[in-house]
C-alpha cells in the first residue's frame, strides 16, 4: 500500500523543462564562482597577454629572441604570437565556464593534473636550462 508521499501522479505535470538561461541564473553560486575565477585568471595573465600582443603587432621584436624564433619567417613569428594572444584571451573564459559547469570532483582532478604538469615543467626546465 502506497502512502501519500510515495504516490506518483498518473498524469504528467505541467512544468516546462529548464533551459540553459534558467540554469545560468546570476544568483547561482556556481556561476558566481565561475565569474570570480575568470576575473582572477584574467588578472594573472594580464602582463603575458600584453607582451604577446606587443610581440604580435611589432615584428621587429623577433630580433630579441635568439634560437628558433629568430630563425622563423616574419609571417610565422607573427602567427605564433597572435595564436599565443588568442589562447591567452580565451583562458579566463574557459576557466570561468569550467568552474561554473563542472562538479567539484572533476575540478579537483583537473587541478591535480595541471599541478603535476606545472611541477614537471619546472623540474624539466631547471634540468635543461641550468
Amino acid at each position: 500500500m502506497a502512502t501519500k508521499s510515495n504516490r506518483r501522479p498518473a498524469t504528467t505535470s505541467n512544468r516546462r523543462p529548464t533551459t540553459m538561461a534558467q540554469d545560468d541564473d546570476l544568483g547561482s553560486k556556481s556561476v558566481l564562482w565561475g565569474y570570480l575565477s575568470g576575473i582572477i585568471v584574467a588578472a594573472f595573465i594580464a602582463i603575458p597577454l600584453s607582451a604577446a600582443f606587443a610581440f604580435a603587432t611589432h615584428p621587429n621584436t623577433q630580433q630579441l629572441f635568439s634560437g628558433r624564433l629568430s630563425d622563423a619567417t616574419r609571417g610565422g613569428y607573427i602567427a605564433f604570437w597572435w595564436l599565443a594572444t588568442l589562447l591567452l584571451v580565451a583562458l579566463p573564459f574557459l576557466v570561468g565556464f569550467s568552474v561554473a559547469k563542472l562538479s567539484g570532483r572533476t575540478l579537483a582532478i583537473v587541478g591535480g593534473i595541471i599541478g603535476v604538469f606545472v611541477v614537471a615543467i619546472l623540474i624539466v626546465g631547471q634540468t635543461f636550462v641550468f
Side-chain angles (χ1 to χ4, degrees), residues 5-121:
S5 61
N6 289 345
R7 285 189 220 160
R8 294 188 182 184
T11 60
T12 60
S13 72
N14 293 331
R15 293 173 32 193
R16 295 186 318 205
T18 60
T19 62
M20 185 178 263
Q22 292 169 342
D23 289 341
D24 291 342
D25 183 24
L26 288 178
S28 173
K29 285 187 179 184
S30 63
V31 173
L32 293 176
W33 279 112
Y35 285 140
L36 180 63
S37 62
I39 290 170
I40 290 171
V41 169
F44 278 132
I45 67 159
I47 292 175
L49 177 63
S50 66
F53 183 77
F55 293 145
T57 56
H58 297 92
N60 290 335
T61 58
Q62 184 175 2
Q63 299 169 354
L64 298 173
F65 298 98
S66 62
R68 295 181 187 240
L69 279 181
S70 66
D71 295 337
T73 64
R74 176 171 265 187
Y77 178 80
I78 292 171
F80 169 77
W81 284 112
W82 275 115
L83 181 65
T85 302
L86 292 175
L87 290 174
L88 286 171
V89 165
L91 189 62
F93 296 104
L94 291 173
V95 169
F97 180 77
S98 64
V99 167
K101 292 293 181 184
L102 297 178
S103 67
R105 180 178 181 208
T106 307
L107 284 175
I109 292 170
V110 170
I113 291 171
I114 290 172
V116 167
F117 279 136
V118 167
V119 169
I121 288 170

